[in-house]
Coordinates of all heavy atoms in Angstrom, one line a residue:
M57 N 0.9 -1.2 0.0 CA 0.0 0.0 0.0 C 0.9 1.2 0.0 O 1.8 1.3 0.8 CB -0.9 0.0 1.2 CG -1.7 1.2 1.4 SD -2.9 1.1 2.8 CE -4.3 0.3 2.0
S58 N 0.6 2.2 -0.9 CA 1.4 3.4 -1.0 C 1.2 4.2 0.3 O 0.2 4.1 1.0 CB 1.0 4.2 -2.2 OG -0.3 4.7 -2.0
Q59 N 2.1 5.2 0.5 CA 2.0 6.1 1.6 C 0.7 6.9 1.6 O 0.0 7.0 2.6 CB 3.2 7.0 1.8 CG 3.2 7.8 3.0 CD 4.4 8.7 3.2 OE1 5.3 8.6 2.4 NE2 4.4 9.5 4.2
P60 N 0.3 7.5 0.4 CA -0.9 8.2 0.4 C -2.1 7.3 0.8 O -3.0 7.7 1.5 CB -1.0 8.7 -1.0 CG 0.4 8.8 -1.5 CD 1.1 7.7 -0.8
A61 N -2.2 6.1 0.2 CA -3.3 5.2 0.5 C -3.3 4.9 2.0 O -4.4 4.8 2.6 CB -3.2 3.9 -0.3
Q62 N -2.1 4.7 2.6 CA -2.1 4.4 4.1 C -2.6 5.6 4.9 O -3.4 5.4 5.8 CB -0.7 4.1 4.5 CG -0.5 3.8 6.0 CD -1.4 2.5 6.4 OE1 -1.2 1.5 5.8 NE2 -2.2 2.7 7.4
Q63 N -2.3 6.8 4.4 CA -2.8 8.0 5.1 C -4.4 8.1 4.9 O -5.1 8.4 5.9 CB -2.2 9.3 4.5 CG -0.7 9.4 4.9 CD 0.0 10.5 4.2 OE1 -0.5 11.0 3.1 NE2 1.1 11.0 4.7
H64 N -4.9 7.7 3.8 CA -6.3 7.7 3.6 C -7.0 6.6 4.4 O -8.1 6.8 4.9 CB -6.6 7.5 2.1 CG -6.0 8.6 1.2 ND1 -5.5 8.4 0.0 CD2 -5.8 9.9 1.5 CE1 -5.0 9.5 -0.5 NE2 -5.1 10.5 0.4
L65 N -6.3 5.4 4.5 CA -6.9 4.4 5.4 C -6.9 4.9 6.8 O -7.9 4.6 7.5 CB -6.0 3.1 5.3 CG -6.4 2.0 6.2 CD1 -7.8 1.5 6.0 CD2 -5.4 0.8 6.0
D66 N -5.9 5.6 7.3 CA -5.9 6.1 8.6 C -7.1 7.1 8.8 O -7.8 7.1 9.8 CB -4.6 6.8 8.9 CG -3.4 5.8 9.0 OD1 -3.6 4.6 9.2 OD2 -2.3 6.3 8.9
H67 N -7.4 7.9 7.8 CA -8.5 8.8 7.9 C -9.8 8.1 7.9 O -10.7 8.4 8.7 CB -8.5 9.8 6.7 CG -9.6 10.8 6.8 ND1 -9.6 11.9 7.6 CD2 -10.8 10.8 6.1 CE1 -10.8 12.5 7.5 NE2 -11.5 11.9 6.6
V68 N -10.0 7.0 7.1 CA -11.2 6.2 7.0 C -11.4 5.6 8.4 O -12.5 5.6 9.0 CB -11.1 5.2 5.9 CG1 -12.3 4.1 6.1 CG2 -11.2 5.8 4.6
R69 N -10.3 5.1 9.0 CA -10.4 4.4 10.3 C -10.9 5.5 11.4 O -11.7 5.2 12.2 CB -9.1 3.8 10.7 CG -8.7 2.6 9.8 CD -7.3 2.1 10.2 NE -7.3 1.6 11.5 CZ -6.4 1.8 12.4 NH1 -5.3 2.6 12.2 NH2 -6.5 1.3 13.6
T70 N -10.3 6.6 11.4 CA -10.6 7.7 12.3 C -12.1 8.1 12.1 O -12.8 8.3 13.1 CB -9.7 8.9 12.1 OG1 -8.3 8.5 12.4 CG2 -10.1 10.0 13.1
Y71 N -12.5 8.3 10.9 CA -13.9 8.6 10.6 C -14.9 7.6 11.2 O -15.8 7.9 11.8 CB -14.1 8.8 9.1 CG -15.6 8.8 8.7 CD1 -16.3 10.0 9.0 CD2 -16.2 7.7 8.2 CE1 -17.7 10.0 8.7 CE2 -17.6 7.8 7.9 CZ -18.3 8.9 8.2 OH -19.6 8.9 7.9
L72 N -14.6 6.3 10.8 CA -15.5 5.2 11.3 C -15.5 5.1 12.8 O -16.6 4.9 13.4 CB -15.1 3.9 10.7 CG -15.4 3.8 9.2 CD1 -14.7 2.5 8.6 CD2 -16.9 3.8 8.9
A73 N -14.4 5.3 13.4 CA -14.3 5.2 14.9 C -15.2 6.3 15.5 O -15.9 6.1 16.5 CB -12.9 5.3 15.4
S74 N -15.1 7.5 14.9 CA -15.8 8.6 15.4 C -17.3 8.6 15.1 O -18.2 8.7 16.0 CB -15.2 9.9 14.9 OG -16.0 11.0 15.2
A75 N -17.7 8.3 13.8 CA -19.0 8.4 13.4 C -19.9 7.2 13.8 O -21.1 7.4 14.1 CB -19.1 8.5 11.9
F76 N -19.2 6.0 13.9 CA -20.0 4.8 14.2 C -19.6 4.2 15.5 O -20.0 3.0 15.8 CB -19.9 3.8 13.1 CG -20.5 4.4 11.8 CD1 -19.7 4.9 10.8 CD2 -21.9 4.4 11.6 CE1 -20.2 5.5 9.6 CE2 -22.4 5.0 10.4 CZ -21.6 5.5 9.5
E77 N -18.7 4.9 16.3 CA -18.3 4.4 17.6 C -17.7 2.9 17.5 O -18.1 2.1 18.4 CB -19.4 4.5 18.6 CG -19.8 6.0 18.8 CD -20.9 6.2 19.8 OE1 -21.4 5.2 20.4 OE2 -21.3 7.3 20.0
I78 N -16.9 2.7 16.5 CA -16.3 1.4 16.4 C -14.9 1.6 16.9 O -14.1 2.5 16.5 CB -16.2 1.0 14.9 CG1 -17.6 0.9 14.3 CG2 -15.4 -0.4 14.7 CD1 -17.6 0.7 12.8
P79 N -14.4 0.7 17.8 CA -13.1 0.8 18.4 C -12.0 0.8 17.2 O -12.1 -0.1 16.4 CB -12.9 -0.4 19.3 CG -14.3 -0.8 19.6 CD -15.2 -0.4 18.4
E80 N -11.1 1.8 17.2 CA -10.2 1.9 16.1 C -9.3 0.7 16.0 O -8.9 0.3 14.9 CB -9.3 3.1 16.3 CG -8.8 3.7 15.0 CD -8.3 5.1 15.1 OE1 -8.8 5.9 15.8 OE2 -7.3 5.4 14.4
G81 N -9.1 -0.1 17.0 CA -8.3 -1.3 17.0 C -9.0 -2.4 16.1 O -8.3 -3.3 15.6
E82 N -10.3 -2.3 15.9 CA -11.0 -3.3 15.1 C -11.0 -2.9 13.6 O -11.4 -3.6 12.8 CB -12.4 -3.4 15.6 CG -12.6 -4.0 17.0 CD -14.1 -4.1 17.4 OE1 -14.9 -4.1 16.5 OE2 -14.3 -4.2 18.6
L83 N -10.5 -1.7 13.3 CA -10.6 -1.2 12.0 C -9.3 -1.4 11.2 O -8.6 -0.5 10.8 CB -11.0 0.3 12.0 CG -12.3 0.6 12.7 CD1 -12.4 2.1 13.0 CD2 -13.4 0.1 11.8
T84 N -9.1 -2.7 10.9 CA -7.9 -3.0 10.1 C -8.3 -2.9 8.6 O -9.5 -2.9 8.3 CB -7.4 -4.4 10.4 OG1 -8.5 -5.3 10.2 CG2 -7.0 -4.5 11.9
G85 N -7.3 -2.8 7.8 CA -7.5 -2.6 6.3 C -8.3 -3.8 5.7 O -8.9 -3.5 4.7
D86 N -8.2 -5.0 6.2 CA -8.9 -6.1 5.6 C -10.3 -6.3 6.1 O -11.0 -7.2 5.6 CB -8.1 -7.4 5.8 CG -7.9 -7.7 7.3 OD1 -8.1 -6.9 8.2 OD2 -7.6 -8.9 7.5
R87 N -10.8 -5.4 7.0 CA -12.2 -5.5 7.4 C -13.1 -5.0 6.3 O -12.9 -4.0 5.7 CB -12.4 -4.7 8.7 CG -11.7 -5.1 9.9 CD -12.2 -6.5 10.5 NE -13.6 -6.5 10.8 CZ -14.1 -6.3 12.0 NH1 -13.3 -6.0 13.0 NH2 -15.4 -6.3 12.2
T88 N -14.2 -5.8 6.2 CA -15.2 -5.4 5.2 C -16.3 -4.6 5.9 O -16.5 -4.6 7.1 CB -15.9 -6.6 4.5 OG1 -16.5 -7.4 5.6 CG2 -14.8 -7.5 3.8
F89 N -17.1 -3.8 5.1 CA -18.2 -3.1 5.7 C -19.2 -4.1 6.3 O -19.7 -3.8 7.4 CB -19.0 -2.3 4.6 CG -18.1 -1.3 3.9 CD1 -18.3 -1.0 2.6 CD2 -17.2 -0.5 4.6 CE1 -17.5 0.0 2.0 CE2 -16.4 0.5 4.0 CZ -16.6 0.8 2.7
E90 N -19.4 -5.2 5.7 CA -20.3 -6.2 6.3 C -19.8 -6.7 7.6 O -20.6 -6.8 8.6 CB -20.4 -7.4 5.3 CG -21.4 -8.5 5.8 CD -21.5 -9.6 4.7 OE1 -20.6 -10.3 4.4 OE2 -22.7 -9.7 4.2
S91 N -18.5 -7.0 7.7 CA -17.9 -7.5 9.0 C -18.0 -6.4 10.1 O -18.0 -6.8 11.3 CB -16.5 -8.0 8.8 OG -15.6 -6.9 8.7
L92 N -18.1 -5.2 9.7 CA -18.3 -4.1 10.7 C -19.7 -3.7 10.9 O -20.0 -2.8 11.7 CB -17.5 -2.8 10.2 CG -16.0 -2.9 10.1 CD1 -15.4 -1.8 9.3 CD2 -15.4 -3.1 11.4
E93 N -20.6 -4.5 10.2 CA -22.1 -4.3 10.4 C -22.5 -2.9 9.9 O -23.4 -2.3 10.5 CB -22.5 -4.6 11.8 CG -22.2 -6.1 12.2 CD -22.7 -6.4 13.6 OE1 -23.4 -5.6 14.2 OE2 -22.4 -7.5 14.0
L94 N -21.9 -2.4 8.9 CA -22.3 -1.2 8.3 C -23.3 -1.5 7.1 O -22.9 -2.1 6.2 CB -21.1 -0.4 7.7 CG -20.1 0.1 8.7 CD1 -18.9 0.8 8.1 CD2 -20.7 1.0 9.8
D95 N -24.5 -1.0 7.3 CA -25.5 -1.2 6.2 C -25.2 -0.3 5.1 O -24.4 0.5 5.1 CB -26.9 -1.1 6.8 CG -27.2 0.3 7.3 OD1 -26.5 1.3 7.0 OD2 -28.2 0.4 8.0
S96 N -26.0 -0.5 4.0 CA -25.8 0.3 2.8 C -26.0 1.8 3.0 O -25.3 2.6 2.4 CB -26.8 -0.2 1.7 OG -28.1 0.0 2.1
I97 N -26.9 2.2 3.9 CA -27.0 3.6 4.2 C -25.8 4.2 4.9 O -25.3 5.3 4.5 CB -28.3 3.8 5.1 CG1 -29.5 3.5 4.3 CG2 -28.3 5.3 5.6 CD1 -30.8 3.4 5.1
A98 N -25.2 3.4 5.8 CA -24.0 3.9 6.4 C -22.8 4.0 5.4 O -22.0 4.9 5.5 CB -23.6 2.9 7.6
Q99 N -22.8 3.0 4.5 CA -21.7 3.0 3.5 C -21.9 4.2 2.6 O -20.9 4.9 2.3 CB -21.8 1.7 2.6 CG -21.5 0.5 3.4 CD -21.9 -0.8 2.6 OE1 -21.8 -0.8 1.4 NE2 -22.3 -1.8 3.4
V100 N -23.1 4.5 2.1 CA -23.3 5.7 1.3 C -22.9 7.0 2.1 O -22.3 7.9 1.6 CB -24.8 5.8 0.8 CG1 -25.1 7.1 0.2 CG2 -25.0 4.6 -0.2
E101 N -23.4 7.1 3.3 CA -23.0 8.2 4.2 C -21.5 8.4 4.3 O -21.0 9.5 4.1 CB -23.6 8.0 5.6 CG -23.3 9.1 6.5 CD -23.8 8.9 8.0 OE1 -24.8 8.2 8.1 OE2 -23.1 9.4 8.9
M102 N -20.8 7.3 4.4 CA -19.3 7.4 4.5 C -18.7 7.9 3.2 O -17.9 8.7 3.2 CB -18.7 6.0 4.9 CG -17.2 6.0 5.0 SD -16.5 4.5 5.4 CE -16.7 3.6 3.9
F103 N -19.2 7.4 2.1 CA -18.7 7.8 0.8 C -19.0 9.3 0.5 O -18.1 10.0 0.0 CB -19.3 6.9 -0.4 CG -18.4 5.7 -0.7 CD1 -18.0 4.8 0.3 CD2 -18.1 5.5 -2.0 CE1 -17.3 3.7 0.0 CE2 -17.3 4.4 -2.3 CZ -16.9 3.5 -1.3
V104 N -20.1 9.7 0.9 CA -20.5 11.2 0.7 C -19.6 12.0 1.6 O -19.0 13.0 1.2 CB -22.0 11.4 1.0 CG1 -22.2 12.9 1.1 CG2 -22.8 10.8 0.0
T105 N -19.4 11.6 2.9 CA -18.5 12.3 3.8 C -17.1 12.4 3.3 O -16.4 13.4 3.3 CB -18.6 11.7 5.2 OG1 -20.0 11.8 5.7 CG2 -17.7 12.4 6.2
L106 N -16.6 11.2 2.8 CA -15.2 11.2 2.3 C -15.1 12.0 1.1 O -14.1 12.7 0.9 CB -14.8 9.7 2.1 CG -14.6 8.9 3.3 CD1 -14.4 7.4 3.0 CD2 -13.5 9.4 4.2
S107 N -16.1 12.0 0.2 CA -16.0 12.8 -1.0 C -15.9 14.3 -0.7 O -15.1 15.0 -1.2 CB -17.3 12.6 -1.9 OG -17.3 11.3 -2.4
D108 N -16.8 14.7 0.3 CA -16.7 16.1 0.7 C -15.4 16.5 1.3 O -14.8 17.5 1.1 CB -17.9 16.4 1.7 CG -19.2 16.4 1.1 OD1 -19.3 16.4 -0.1 OD2 -20.2 16.3 1.9
H109 N -14.9 15.6 2.2 CA -13.6 15.9 2.9 C -12.5 16.1 1.9 O -11.7 17.0 2.0 CB -13.3 14.7 3.8 CG -11.9 14.9 4.5 ND1 -11.7 15.7 5.6 CD2 -10.7 14.3 4.2 CE1 -10.4 15.6 5.9 NE2 -9.8 14.8 5.1
Y110 N -12.4 15.2 0.9 CA -11.3 15.2 -0.1 C -11.5 16.1 -1.3 O -10.6 16.3 -2.1 CB -10.9 13.8 -0.5 CG -10.2 13.0 0.6 CD1 -10.8 12.0 1.3 CD2 -8.8 13.3 0.9 CE1 -10.2 11.3 2.3 CE2 -8.2 12.6 1.9 CZ -8.8 11.6 2.6 OH -8.2 10.9 3.6
G111 N -12.8 16.5 -1.5 CA -13.1 17.3 -2.7 C -13.1 16.5 -3.9 O -12.7 17.0 -5.0
I112 N -13.5 15.3 -3.8 CA -13.5 14.3 -5.0 C -14.9 13.7 -5.1 O -15.8 13.9 -4.2 CB -12.5 13.2 -4.8 CG1 -12.7 12.5 -3.5 CG2 -11.1 13.8 -4.9 CD1 -11.8 11.3 -3.3
H113 N -15.1 12.9 -6.1 CA -16.4 12.1 -6.2 C -16.0 10.7 -6.1 O -15.3 10.1 -6.8 CB -17.0 12.3 -7.6 CG -18.2 11.4 -7.8 ND1 -19.4 11.6 -7.1 CD2 -18.3 10.3 -8.5 CE1 -20.2 10.7 -7.5 NE2 -19.6 9.9 -8.3
L114 N -16.6 10.1 -5.0 CA -16.5 8.6 -4.8 C -17.9 8.1 -5.2 O -18.9 8.5 -4.6 CB -16.2 8.3 -3.4 CG -14.8 8.6 -2.9 CD1 -14.7 8.3 -1.4 CD2 -13.7 7.9 -3.7
D115 N -17.9 7.2 -6.2 CA -19.2 6.6 -6.6 C -19.7 5.7 -5.5 O -19.2 4.6 -5.4 CB -18.9 5.9 -7.9 CG -20.2 5.3 -8.5 OD1 -21.3 5.4 -7.9 OD2 -20.1 4.8 -9.7
D116 N -20.7 6.1 -4.8 CA -21.2 5.3 -3.7 C -21.9 4.0 -4.2 O -22.1 3.1 -3.4 CB -22.2 6.1 -2.8 CG -23.4 6.7 -3.5 OD1 -24.0 6.0 -4.4 OD2 -23.7 7.8 -3.2
S117 N -22.1 3.9 -5.5 CA -22.7 2.6 -6.0 C -21.6 1.5 -6.0 O -21.9 0.3 -6.1 CB -23.2 2.7 -7.5 OG -22.1 2.9 -8.4
L118 N -20.3 1.9 -5.8 CA -19.3 0.9 -5.7 C -19.2 0.3 -4.3 O -18.6 -0.8 -4.1 CB -17.9 1.5 -6.0 CG -17.7 2.1 -7.4 CD1 -16.4 2.8 -7.5 CD2 -17.8 0.9 -8.4
A119 N -19.8 1.0 -3.3 CA -19.8 0.5 -1.9 C -20.7 -0.8 -1.8 O -21.8 -0.8 -2.3 CB -20.3 1.6 -1.0
N120 N -20.1 -1.8 -1.2 CA -20.9 -3.0 -1.0 C -20.3 -3.7 0.3 O -19.2 -3.3 0.7 CB -20.9 -3.9 -2.2 CG -19.5 -4.4 -2.5 OD1 -18.9 -5.2 -1.7 ND2 -18.9 -4.1 -3.6
G121 N -21.0 -4.6 0.8 CA -20.6 -5.3 2.0 C -19.3 -5.9 2.0 O -18.6 -6.1 3.0
E122 N -18.8 -6.3 0.8 CA -17.5 -7.0 0.7 C -16.3 -6.1 0.5 O -15.2 -6.5 0.5 CB -17.6 -8.0 -0.5 CG -18.6 -9.1 -0.3 CD -18.4 -9.9 1.0 OE1 -17.3 -10.3 1.3 OE2 -19.4 -10.1 1.7
M123 N -16.6 -4.8 0.3 CA -15.5 -3.9 0.2 C -14.7 -3.7 1.5 O -15.3 -3.6 2.6 CB -16.0 -2.5 -0.3 CG -15.0 -1.4 -0.4 SD -15.6 0.1 -1.2 CE -15.2 -0.3 -2.9
T124 N -13.4 -3.7 1.4 CA -12.6 -3.6 2.6 C -12.2 -2.1 2.8 O -12.4 -1.3 1.9 CB -11.3 -4.4 2.5 OG1 -10.5 -3.8 1.4 CG2 -11.5 -5.8 2.2
L125 N -11.8 -1.8 4.0 CA -11.3 -0.4 4.3 C -10.1 -0.1 3.4 O -10.0 1.0 2.9 CB -11.0 -0.3 5.8 CG -12.1 -0.6 6.7 CD1 -11.7 -0.3 8.2 CD2 -13.4 0.2 6.4
R126 N -9.3 -1.1 3.2 CA -8.1 -0.8 2.3 C -8.6 -0.5 0.9 O -8.0 0.5 0.3 CB -7.2 -2.1 2.3 CG -6.0 -1.9 1.4 CD -5.0 -3.1 1.5 NE -4.4 -3.2 2.8 CZ -4.7 -4.1 3.7 NH1 -5.5 -5.1 3.5 NH2 -4.1 -4.1 4.9
Q127 N -9.5 -1.2 0.4 CA -10.1 -0.9 -1.0 C -10.7 0.5 -1.0 O -10.5 1.2 -2.0 CB -11.1 -1.9 -1.4 CG -10.5 -3.3 -1.7 CD -11.5 -4.3 -1.9 OE1 -12.6 -4.3 -1.2 NE2 -11.3 -5.3 -2.8
T128 N -11.3 0.9 0.0 CA -11.9 2.3 0.1 C -10.8 3.3 0.1 O -10.9 4.3 -0.7 CB -12.7 2.4 1.4 OG1 -13.7 1.4 1.4 CG2 -13.3 3.8 1.5
A129 N -9.7 3.1 0.8 CA -8.5 4.0 0.8 C -7.9 4.1 -0.6 O -7.5 5.2 -1.0 CB -7.5 3.6 1.9
E130 N -7.8 2.9 -1.3 CA -7.3 2.9 -2.6 C -8.2 3.7 -3.6 O -7.7 4.4 -4.5 CB -7.0 1.5 -3.0 CG -5.8 0.9 -2.3 CD -5.7 -0.6 -2.4 OE1 -6.6 -1.3 -3.1 OE2 -4.7 -1.2 -1.9
L131 N -9.5 3.6 -3.4 CA -10.4 4.4 -4.3 C -10.2 5.9 -4.1 O -10.2 6.6 -5.0 CB -11.9 4.1 -3.9 CG -12.5 2.9 -4.5 CD1 -14.0 2.7 -4.0 CD2 -12.5 3.0 -6.0
I132 N -10.0 6.3 -2.8 CA -9.7 7.7 -2.5 C -8.4 8.1 -3.2 O -8.4 9.2 -3.9 CB -9.6 7.9 -1.0 CG1 -11.0 7.7 -0.4 CG2 -9.1 9.3 -0.7 CD1 -10.9 7.6 1.2
T133 N -7.4 7.3 -3.1 CA -6.1 7.6 -3.7 C -6.2 7.7 -5.2 O -5.7 8.7 -5.8 CB -5.0 6.5 -3.4 OG1 -4.9 6.4 -1.9 CG2 -3.7 6.8 -4.0
E134 N -6.9 6.8 -5.9 CA -7.1 6.8 -7.3 C -7.9 8.1 -7.7 O -7.6 8.7 -8.7 CB -7.8 5.6 -7.8 CG -7.0 4.3 -7.7 CD -7.8 3.0 -7.9 OE1 -9.0 3.1 -8.3 OE2 -7.3 2.0 -7.6
A135 N -8.9 8.4 -7.0 CA -9.7 9.6 -7.3 C -8.9 10.9 -7.2 O -9.0 11.7 -8.0 CB -11.0 9.7 -6.4
L136 N -8.1 11.0 -6.2 CA -7.2 12.1 -6.0 C -6.2 12.2 -7.1 O -5.9 13.3 -7.6 CB -6.6 12.1 -4.6 CG -7.5 12.4 -3.4 CD1 -6.8 12.1 -2.1 CD2 -7.9 13.9 -3.5
E137 N -5.6 11.1 -7.5 CA -4.7 11.1 -8.6 C -5.4 11.5 -9.9 O -4.8 12.2 -10.7 CB -4.0 9.7 -8.7 CG -3.1 9.4 -7.6 CD -2.6 7.9 -7.6 OE1 -3.1 7.1 -8.4 OE2 -1.7 7.6 -6.8
G138 N -6.6 11.1 -10.1 CA -7.4 11.5 -11.3 C -7.6 13.0 -11.3 O -7.5 13.6 -12.3
V139 N -7.9 13.6 -10.2 CA -8.2 15.0 -10.0 C -6.8 15.7 -10.4 O -6.8 16.7 -11.1 CB -8.7 15.4 -8.6 CG1 -8.6 16.9 -8.4 CG2 -10.1 14.9 -8.5
G140 N -5.7 15.2 -9.8 CA -4.4 15.8 -10.1 C -4.1 15.8 -11.6 O -3.6 16.8 -12.1
R141 N -4.4 14.7 -12.2 CA -4.1 14.6 -13.7 C -5.0 15.6 -14.5 O -4.5 16.2 -15.4 CB -4.3 13.2 -14.2 CG -3.2 12.2 -13.9 CD -3.3 10.9 -14.6 NE -4.5 10.2 -14.2 CZ -4.5 9.4 -13.2 NH1 -3.4 9.2 -12.4 NH2 -5.6 8.7 -12.9
Q142 N -6.2 15.7 -14.1 CA -7.2 16.6 -14.8 C -6.7 18.0 -14.6 O -6.7 18.8 -15.6 CB -8.6 16.5 -14.2 CG -9.3 15.2 -14.6 CD -10.6 15.0 -13.9 OE1 -11.0 15.8 -13.0 NE2 -11.4 14.1 -14.4
R143 N -6.2 18.4 -13.4 CA -5.8 19.8 -13.2 C -4.5 20.0 -14.0 O -4.3 21.1 -14.5 CB -5.6 20.0 -11.7 CG -6.9 20.1 -11.0 CD -6.7 20.6 -9.6 NE -8.0 20.8 -9.0 CZ -8.3 20.5 -7.7 NH1 -7.3 20.0 -6.9 NH2 -9.5 20.7 -7.2
Q144 N -3.6 19.0 -14.1 CA -2.4 19.2 -14.8 C -2.7 19.4 -16.3 O -2.1 20.3 -17.0 CB -1.5 18.0 -14.7 CG -0.7 18.0 -13.4 CD 0.2 16.8 -13.4 OE1 -0.1 15.7 -13.9 NE2 1.4 17.0 -12.8
D145 N -3.6 18.6 -16.8 CA -4.0 18.7 -18.2 C -4.7 20.0 -18.5 O -4.5 20.6 -19.6 CB -5.0 17.6 -18.6 CG -4.3 16.2 -18.6 OD1 -3.1 16.1 -18.6 OD2 -5.0 15.2 -18.6
S146 N -5.4 20.6 -17.6 CA -6.1 21.9 -17.8 C -5.2 23.1 -17.5 O -5.6 24.2 -17.7 CB -7.4 22.0 -17.0 OG -7.0 22.1 -15.6
G147 N -4.0 22.8 -16.9 CA -3.1 23.9 -16.5 C -3.4 24.6 -15.2 O -2.8 25.5 -14.8
S148 N -4.4 24.0 -14.4 CA -4.7 24.5 -13.1 C -3.7 24.0 -12.1 O -3.1 23.0 -12.3 CB -6.1 24.0 -12.7 OG -7.1 24.4 -13.5
P149 N -3.5 24.8 -11.0 CA -2.5 24.3 -10.0 C -3.0 23.0 -9.4 O -4.2 22.8 -9.2 CB -2.6 25.5 -9.0 CG -3.5 26.5 -9.5 CD -4.1 26.0 -10.7
V150 N -2.0 22.2 -9.2 CA -2.3 20.9 -8.5 C -2.0 21.0 -7.0 O -0.9 21.5 -6.6 CB -1.3 19.8 -9.1 CG1 -1.5 18.5 -8.4 CG2 -1.6 19.7 -10.6
P151 N -3.0 20.7 -6.2 CA -2.8 20.8 -4.8 C -1.7 19.9 -4.3 O -1.5 18.7 -4.8 CB -4.1 20.4 -4.2 CG -4.9 19.6 -5.2 CD -4.3 20.1 -6.5
Q152 N -0.9 20.3 -3.4 CA 0.2 19.5 -2.8 C -0.3 18.9 -1.5 O -0.9 19.6 -0.7 CB 1.4 20.3 -2.6 CG 1.9 21.0 -3.8 CD 2.4 19.9 -4.9 OE1 3.0 19.0 -4.5 NE2 2.0 20.2 -6.1
G153 N 0.0 17.6 -1.2 CA -0.2 17.0 0.1 C -1.6 16.6 0.2 O -2.4 16.3 0.9

């Protein structure tokens, strides 16, 4: 897992611990939404919150019970890289960090 993806995983873990009162020690990268007992509404809520936080679009239709926290972090990383490429192509400044 890349360093940015690890940072995004850490953010996902912090968010879930806070929003759903799940002990952070239980929030390993290989945990699925289903194993955390997060229903589809909670998954969509999480994707919307993460989209807002990062200023990206995460397609909440991709969220399903079998998705892991690591896969979620990787989606965030890919979306941010896509935004960076779009800004480079358009000549807009690319955010750092």
Side-chain angles (χ1 to χ4, degrees):
M57 175 176 275
S58 68
Q59 183 177 359
Q62 182 61 51
Q63 291 171 340
H64 302 144
L65 175 59
D66 292 344
H67 180 78
V68 168
R69 292 176 66 225
T70 300
Y71 166 74
L72 290 171
S74 173
F76 298 100
E77 299 180 359
I78 301 171
E80 206 163 325
E82 294 181 19
L83 298 170
T84 59
D86 60 342
R87 291 295 300 267
T88 64
F89 297 144
E90 183 176 63
S91 74
L92 295 169
E93 299 181 8
L94 295 177
D95 64 17
S96 60
I97 294 171
Q99 293 168 33
V100 168
E101 177 185 332
M102 180 180 73
F103 269 51
V104 169
T105 300
L106 292 170
S107 292
D108 290 346
H109 174 79
Y110 286 104
I112 57 175
H113 173 73
L114 292 177
D115 184 356
D116 57 44
S117 71
L118 297 175
N120 65 65
E122 297 304 312
M123 178 173 266
T124 66
L125 301 185
R126 181 174 292 110
Q127 290 170 323
T128 304
E130 290 168 353
L131 275 178
I132 294 167
T133 302
E134 290 169 10
L136 287 168
E137 288 171 352
V139 167
R141 280 192 297 276
Q142 288 175 349
R143 287 189 176 142
Q144 279 181 328
D145 292 346
S146 71
S148 298
V150 177
Q152 301 297 316

